[in-house]
Amino acid sequence: MSHLIIAPIILPAVLAGLLVILRPSIGLQRAISGAGTLALCVIAVMLAAQADTPRAYFLGNWPAPFGIALLSDRLSSLMLMLTAALGLLVLIHVASTGWDRSGKHFHTLFLFQLMGLNGAFLTADAFNLFVFFEVLLIASYGLMVHGGGRERLRAGVQYVAFNLLGSSLFLIALATIYAVTGTLNMADLAVKLPDLPAGDSALLRVAAVLVMMVFAIKAAMVPLQFWLPATYANAPAPVAALFAVMTKVGAYALIRFGTLVFPTDLAATGTLIQDLLQPAAILTMVIGAIGVLGSRELPRLVAFSALGSMGLLLIAVSAFTPQATAAALYYLIHSTLAMAALFLLSDLVPNRRDGLTAALFMAAAVAMAGMPPLSGFVGKLLIMDALRASAPLIWTLILLSSLLTMLGLARIGSGLFWKAEAPRPSDSIAPFAPLATALCLSALLALTLGAGPILTWLEATAQNLHAPAAYIAALSLGAGG
């Protein structure tokens, strides 16, 4: 077994513990969390380079399904790379703005957040997915209210309440699945569910719907989206930028479960998840676009943009075809970086509205609205092409939502940079503060220019997801793997 697979979980956990024990200066905290996140980027790239063949890691050398198993494949390594890269950009921003001085333990919570995210992407066991959900959520609670404030605390309470509901539903769903199958290992479930007795089918369908509801809460999908606008709009901007990948955990879980545990050819559930997911995703996209048009403040507008982009992403996911899944993964990368760029800009705009900031906002707005020439346009074309079978309705709604998003961003941008009085520059913000935003947009440009080879890699990833024999085989190797 390669111990590299567990490193993305162990490394941030150890570094977070050291920060709690040592309580170093803010400069040393930045150095430790920055070095750790950079190391995570390298580890993620190394895992991606080995991802053609899924590789399992068995904690304590206990074989699956009895022990805790981790698995690195193309999808999990992609999410690890995206999380580490985004974490590094957030750290650059907080260091340049001094935002991490506004409260204690930011870097500790940040590292625990990375640990929870990485664990959720690597685990091959449904119960441990629940465990890592709780780790990342506990860390996010602390990050959400970092720096204090009445509105932030109120939004944090709402955020906690919704996610506690999700956690309770997840436990009920897991208990139901275990009662029916006797296992929670995802590969083991993929093997056992096709042979499930007909009498247990109704109970399994209930569990499948509950699981989908849990992931819908994580992904902020209608009708469980209420927590996202208030949470993201009131969260500190760098935290909201990091949260851009946290909502993708729900999308990741839907892809993983929808292709491995509850595929559309499973007799007990059939197209149940697909039939429920697609209309909810369409409504999520439309409500997000309407919210963008109606927003009067930049953080709230970006929060609704995040909601709309999740809707479009989940429309692609709901098709559950290799082509649509590849398009969804491309758009997932794009929307995470575009959303992060806008949230980081929302932190700069109150203190800086020069030409550079205006140019960065225009580029980020073009990306978020899905206009050419950036990767949002490519991503939407890929999704629309994958959904040609339902083109008249879905294409119309996608284009209308893009138009509403563009109008909302244009209106608030003109108000900020043309009509509003320029603010006084803040001495606490370094001259290189826009660097993280510029790097986000540079990544989007690279995603556009490299769309061909990137999409080829994502298409291979999607093919592996929809033909999971290699994933199942990697976990069947037991302690000898």
Side-chain angles (χ1 to χ4, degrees):
M1 292 187 298
S2 171
H3 295 290
L4 192 66
I5 296 173
I6 200 172
I9 301 172
I10 295 296
L11 179 60
V14 171
L15 293 179
L18 285 176
L19 291 182
V20 172
I21 295 170
L22 300 178
R23 298 184 180 181
S25 65
I26 189 66
L28 190 53
Q29 288 183 48
R30 290 172 178 172
I32 290 172
S33 59
T37 307
L38 185 60
L40 288 176
C41 289
V42 175
I43 293 168
V45 171
M46 292 172 67
L47 288 173
Q50 304 171 1
D52 286 343
T53 301
R55 297 172 183 269
Y57 184 92
F58 304 96
L59 276 72
N61 226 25
W62 281 83
F66 308 106
I68 297 173
L70 306 176
L71 190 135
S72 173
D73 65 349
R74 283 174 171 266
L75 178 59
S76 58
S77 60
L78 169 66
M79 300 306 297
L80 291 177
M81 287 191 292
L82 185 60
T83 300
L86 183 60
L88 198 58
L89 293 171
V90 169
L91 285 179
I92 292 172
H93 184 88
V94 299
S96 62
T97 58
W99 185 89
D100 51 352
R101 296 179 182 273
S102 62
K104 295 181 180 180
H105 306 304
F106 168 80
H107 292 279
T108 302
L109 293 168
F110 170 83
L111 289 167
F112 275 126
Q113 176 88 339
L114 293 185
M115 172 198 170
L117 288 166
N118 292 342
F121 296 137
L122 285 170
T123 186
D125 183 273
F127 181 77
N128 288 300
L129 179 61
F130 166 80
V131 172
F132 285 117
F133 271 177
E134 296 310 299
V135 172
L136 71 90
L137 288 171
I138 290 170
S140 68
Y141 299 155
L143 290 171
M144 170 65 199
V145 299
H146 189 79
R150 184 174 180 178
E151 291 300 319
R152 188 170 296 166
L153 183 61
R154 180 183 300 171
V157 170
Q158 181 183 359
Y159 173 67
V160 169
F162 264 90
N163 281 284
L164 285 177
L165 172 63
S167 298
S168 301
L169 289 175
F170 203 3
L171 278 178
I172 295 170
L174 293 179
T176 305
I177 292 173
Y178 189 80
V180 172
T181 64
T183 184
L184 290 175
N185 179 278
M186 289 190 279
D188 204 31
L189 287 171
V191 172
K192 288 183 176 180
L193 288 182
D195 299 325
L196 193 71
D200 292 329
S201 296
L203 202 55
L204 184 64
R205 285 194 290 272
V206 171
V209 172
L210 287 175
V211 166
M212 195 200 78
M213 288 178 63
V214 172
F215 300 150
I217 291 175
K218 309 301 180 187
M221 187 170 63
V222 169
L224 303 168
Q225 85 289 356
F226 298 104
W227 64 270
L228 187 145
T231 299
Y232 280 37
N234 288 288
V239 172
L242 183 62
F243 284 6
V245 77
M246 197 171 70
T247 50
K248 304 305 186 296
V249 177
Y252 165 87
L254 282 167
I255 293 172
R256 181 71 79 188
F257 271 71
T259 56
L260 179 64
V261 181
F262 301 119
T264 54
D265 59 355
L266 180 65
T269 54
T271 60
L272 176 64
I273 292 179
Q274 181 182 22
D275 295 340
L276 293 174
L277 183 59
Q278 189 176 82
I282 291 172
L283 286 175
T284 303
M285 178 185 67
V286 171
I287 289 174
I290 294 172
V292 168
L293 190 62
S295 297
R296 294 292 184 269
E297 297 176 351
L298 183 56
R300 191 165 183 82
L301 178 144
V302 183
F304 275 107
S305 297
L307 186 64
S309 70
M310 280 304 302
L312 179 57
L313 170 61
L314 293 173
I315 290 173
V317 170
S318 69
F320 289 113
T321 64
Q323 183 185 4
T325 300
L329 293 177
Y330 183 92
Y331 189 77
L332 183 150
I333 302 169
H334 157 80
S335 63
T336 301
L337 294 171
M339 193 191 314
L342 278 172
F343 274 121
L344 294 179
L345 272 171
S346 70
D347 192 42
L348 297 177
V349 166
N351 299 293
R352 179 171 180 159
R353 292 181 197 161
D354 54 12
L356 175 60
T357 310
L360 291 174
F361 177 85
M362 184 179 71
V366 166
M368 199 69 195
M371 302 297 293
L374 292 179
S375 52
F377 179 69
V378 178
K380 287 189 177 181
L381 281 182
L382 291 172
I383 292 174
M384 291 168 69
D385 183 54
L387 300 174
R388 280 177 292 178
S390 51
L393 174 62
I394 292 183
W395 283 26
T396 301
L397 292 174
I398 289 175
L399 294 174
L400 285 175
S401 297
S402 298
L403 176 62
L404 293 179
T405 301
M406 181 179 63
L407 291 174
L409 286 164
R411 186 190 62 197
I412 206 160
S414 63
L416 285 172
F417 295 102
W418 291 354
K419 300 176 183 177
E421 183 179 349
R424 292 183 178 182
S426 174
D427 295 333
S428 63
I429 298 180
F432 61 90
L435 176 61
T437 305
L439 289 173
C440 273
L441 295 172
S442 298
L444 290 175
L445 180 60
L447 187 62
T448 307
L449 296 176
I454 291 171
L455 187 60
T456 300
W457 196 87
L458 294 176
E459 286 172 345
T461 303
Q463 291 291 344
N464 289 350
L465 287 168
H466 287 271
Y471 184 102
I472 296 169
L475 287 169
S476 69
L477 295 176

